[in-house]
Amino acid sequence: MRLITLLCATALLGSCTSNMPLERTKNELRAPSYPLVTIDPYTSAWSAADHLYDNPVKHWTGKNFPLLGIAKVDGKAYRFMGEEELELYPLSGTSLQTAWEGKYTFTQPAAGWEKDGFNDAAWKTGAGAFGTMENEPTAKTQWGSEYIWVRRTCKLTEPAEGKNIYLEYSHDDDVTIYINGVKVVETGNECKKNVLLKLTGEALASLKQGENLIAAYCHNRVGNGLLDFGLLAEKENTRFFAETATQTLADVQATQTYYSFNCGSVNLNITFTAPMLMDDLDLMTRPVNYLTYETTSTDGQAHDVEIYFEASSQWAVDQPQQRSVSKTGQQDGLIYASTGSEEQPILAKRGDDLRIDWGYFYLAAPQGQAAVATGETFGLRQSFLKGEELNSTVTDGQDKLAMRCTLGKEKSAKGYIMLAYDDIYSIQYFGQNLRPYWNRKGNETIFSQLGKAQKEYDSLMKRCAEFDNRLYNDAEKAGGKQYAELCATAYRQVMAAHKLVESPEGELLYLSKENFSNGCINTVDLTYPSAPLFLVYNPDLQKGMMNGILYYSESGRWTKPFAAHDIGTYPQANGQVYGGDMPVEESGNMLILAAAIAAVEGNADYAAKHWDVLTVWTDYLVEKGLDPENQLCTDDFAGHFAHNTNLSIKAIMGIASYARLAEMSGKKDVAEKYMSKAKEMAAQWVKMADDGDHYRLTFDKPGTWSQKYNMVWDKLLGFNIFPDEVMRKEIAYYKTVQNRYGLPLDNRETYTKNDWIMWTAAMTDNRADFENLISPIWLYMNETPDRVPMTDWTWTIEPKQRGFQARSVIGGYWMQVLKNKLMN
């Protein structure tokens, strides 16, 4: 175990609130992706590499979130963060970059349609992009049929010779693209957005100043359709910082990520801090993160050190070529640079693979510690290298925000900058736009938030370090070192996958985004797996995840006798959008979580407020839950199937939960009635699911098996309605089917959901069995080549991502900590 001592430095920052050093246990897990800036689902930046300087900083969706860091020591520059990204400008851009028109047809054209000189006079003319306009925000011309052919004339106003030229395209589904009759793309059955292809060979040689033809065919196999394309060229003279620092440390804790570097004769420490502390909701939602820098001479001599930070306007737009407006200023003791989209379409877009394009991103620092400017890459970087003053310049709407921090000629020094985002309005809730929680009364500004962040810097660094230690120690005590390292790595991912607002009725709404899936908001089968983290550290946030669903039913907007799946697509929470209901799944989820809240709080007050709707859902489970019909469950990616034994357990746990809530509310007769029913169903389940040395995936299929993770509540909530031997027999069987990188979800595939493994592991009754199930997850995260924020859906034979990333469900990792809380 490696302990690291954190000492308070005084240079630049003043004295710390305490002289006592804080020790932390280094996280030895090589994170698949390192959290850097985490505010909410939109402002979420990660390093997808072993070294902070290996790759561009990225949004969780995989799009670049350019953030550059350079240390200049005695005149020599060392890049310690990010890459000098590829910078492009449109020659004949996509619909996000410029308005364009093309000729199109939905009918199979004659041969040669992709070539210049083809007669397309009978084709229609429409604005690009072409697609399903109700679901694709970039689509300008409706395309709802299966096939489309498009011809676009691109007029190049400059020669193509000597330039690096790229084709950018988006497609749903199969696309074939020709440039001047030369085939350059043929995807097969794929769906992707904003793909960049560098043109070479015959296609590049065919480009000429004047008119060129791009012709494309797209096949929409199912669902939405989209086709968009354009030509871009690489800007010249944008790369200045080839030499990197040497990274010596990367360490992820719950609220902080630590890096250390050697830059010649100076060591540089960089710390990213997101004060997402659940015991202080105003602080937790404050849209400000810190980046602390600290330098120390390695040779005992004073060195002249400057730090240069550069962010891109891409932090405030959905797509790189959207136009932005940037500025610099000073206010209330702060110096800042800010940027936001020119258009400012507040809450206009909804979906998964989207980034915010309203509101404003800020780089800020205490006045006197930094200089700021906005402008184009070449001028800003060259000025820093030459030691010249940074001057703002007017650009084409794709600005850089630059900040120079001069530390002077010292043996050691320290400072910090702040990265913030003012989203103005965060969520649309049944037609009403809601402000972020930190400004729920409309009496705060981004500058008041930055001012508080500046004033509280010292105390917050201490509070964050203390919380990080507490969280790590809680997890290590519950499940060991590897388990603690997984939890520390997961924390900010879970928190940043939500947005907290206050409802018009004054209730908390802690709304998840179903990242890397369908973008749903407040999905119940995300609320359920993520619950353990919040039940451990703040059950009010757990209620905040349930309030919207309860309101949806109680308001009469949702009239079915079971719980809804979601209340919209992020950030528009106007009612369920998911195409298939999950009646047993979501009703059981809500009932179990209501009982879990009561167990943590020691009373059933929350359930009592919603008793009528909980009763309706319970009665549905009594009628439909024992042997579920052919319906979806939370593992919907595996498809519909009937007689699901694990779903049946959920129904039984839901009914038992209602009985417990009735008991805690003094409803003795109701409690006895429903607990008797739950016990009766449990006894039937044991007989129906038994398959010798384990229990079946479905009641009707012998020789099958599955993880029975829903049974964990029987132990945690003390129902004890299933015989102890059921869990013991299942755990023993899992040992025989586990693979190197985890226990498969069931017998149908070798993939798994590692959040459910955490629940299954909490069903064990000794540390050895628990660690046997957890260690493969640690191994997967440590070895996977898929450098994305933690995925919950993985293959178990090789360390590959199956799907999903950056999702809140890994809050389920805290099930073992919750078990300790409830049972000890």
Side-chain angles (χ1 to χ4, degrees), residues 276-330:
M276 300 179 116
L277 304 180
M278 280 191 257
D279 62 350
D280 185 342
L281 297 185
D282 284 304
L283 172 63
M284 185 191 86
T285 59
R286 182 182 295 165
V288 181
N289 277 199
Y290 300 94
L291 193 165
T292 301
Y293 51 89
E294 181 178 9
T295 61
T296 306
S297 171
T298 61
D299 60 6
Q301 303 298 310
H303 294 278
D304 192 6
V305 179
E306 289 186 312
I307 308 292
Y308 175 85
F309 296 104
E310 181 188 284
S312 163
S313 58
Q314 286 174 235
W315 282 70
V317 294
D318 179 33
Q319 297 296 331
Q321 299 300 325
Q322 284 182 263
R323 292 183 59 83
S324 60
V325 177
S326 304
K327 67 178 182 178
T328 62
Q330 299 180 28

Side-chain angles (χ1 to χ4, degrees), residues 427 429-430 497-499 508-514 518-528 541-552 564-573 576 586 590 808:
I427 298 292
Y429 185 67
F430 295 103
H498 295 84
K499 191 73 178 184
L508 293 180
L509 295 171
Y510 194 46
L511 303 173
S512 62
K513 178 178 180 181
E514 194 166 346
N518 54 20
C520 281
I521 188 169
N522 204 192
T523 303
V524 178
D525 52 292
L526 266 67
T527 296
Y528 179 67
L541 290 175
Q542 185 60 54
K543 297 172 192 175
M545 287 187 269
M546 299 167 68
N547 287 336
I549 294 291
L550 288 162
Y551 170 79
Y552 193 22
H565 170 271
D566 62 78
I567 57 173
T569 302
Y570 196 93
Q572 299 175 8
Q576 179 171 309
E586 311 302 23
M590 293 292 287
S808 64

Side-chain angles (χ1 to χ4, degrees), residues 444-521:
E444 293 282 344
T445 68
I446 192 63
F447 293 107
S448 68
Q449 294 292 296
L450 284 165
K452 292 175 183 178
Q454 179 186 9
K455 181 180 179 180
E456 298 168 12
Y457 173 83
D458 283 340
S459 62
L460 287 181
M461 293 303 108
K462 183 171 182 288
R463 287 175 64 185
C464 286
E466 289 173 344
F467 176 74
D468 292 352
N469 285 347
R470 176 192 168 193
L471 183 141
Y472 186 96
N473 291 336
D474 287 348
E476 187 176 39
K477 179 181 177 182
K481 184 176 186 297
Q482 288 187 335
Y483 176 63
E485 291 177 342
L486 286 165
C487 289
T489 306
Y491 182 77
R492 271 172 286 167
Q493 174 171 318
V494 181
M495 301 299 291
H498 295 84
K499 191 73 178 184
L500 184 67
V501 294
E502 187 176 82
S503 76
E505 294 73 32
E507 292 188 317
L508 293 180
L509 295 171
Y510 194 46
L511 303 173
S512 62
K513 178 178 180 181
E514 194 166 346
N515 289 344
F516 214 79
S517 179
N518 54 20
C520 281
I521 188 169

Side-chain angles (χ1 to χ4, degrees), residues 770-800:
F770 176 82
E771 292 184 345
N772 180 62
L773 286 163
I774 296 307
S775 290
I777 301 175
W778 189 98
L779 188 66
Y780 172 90
M781 297 297 176
N782 197 59
E783 294 184 2
T784 179
D786 297 320
R787 306 308 295 270
V788 298
M790 299 172 89
T791 174
D792 51 290
W793 188 14
T794 70
W795 295 105
T796 62
I797 293 177
E798 56 182 353
K800 294 292 187 69

Side-chain angles (χ1 to χ4, degrees), residues 17 25 96 121 123 144 163 199 245 290 305 310 348 494 556 594 735 792 809:
T17 55
T25 303
L96 288 168
W123 291 26
K163 290 185 170 61
L199 298 182
Y290 300 94
V305 179
E310 181 188 284
V494 181
K735 295 178 184 179
D792 51 290
V809 299

Side-chain angles (χ1 to χ4, degrees), residues 122-162:
W123 291 26
K124 295 180 180 179
T125 299
F130 299 83
T132 314
M133 295 179 68
E134 61 269 28
N135 293 317
E136 289 291 353
T138 60
K140 304 295 192 299
T141 297
Q142 174 65 21
W143 165 40
S145 58
E146 188 172 359
Y147 303 99
I148 190 171
W149 290 259
V150 176
R151 288 166 53 87
R152 176 186 180 185
T153 298
C154 299
K155 188 172 183 178
L156 303 188
T157 58
E158 55 190 83
E161 292 82 6

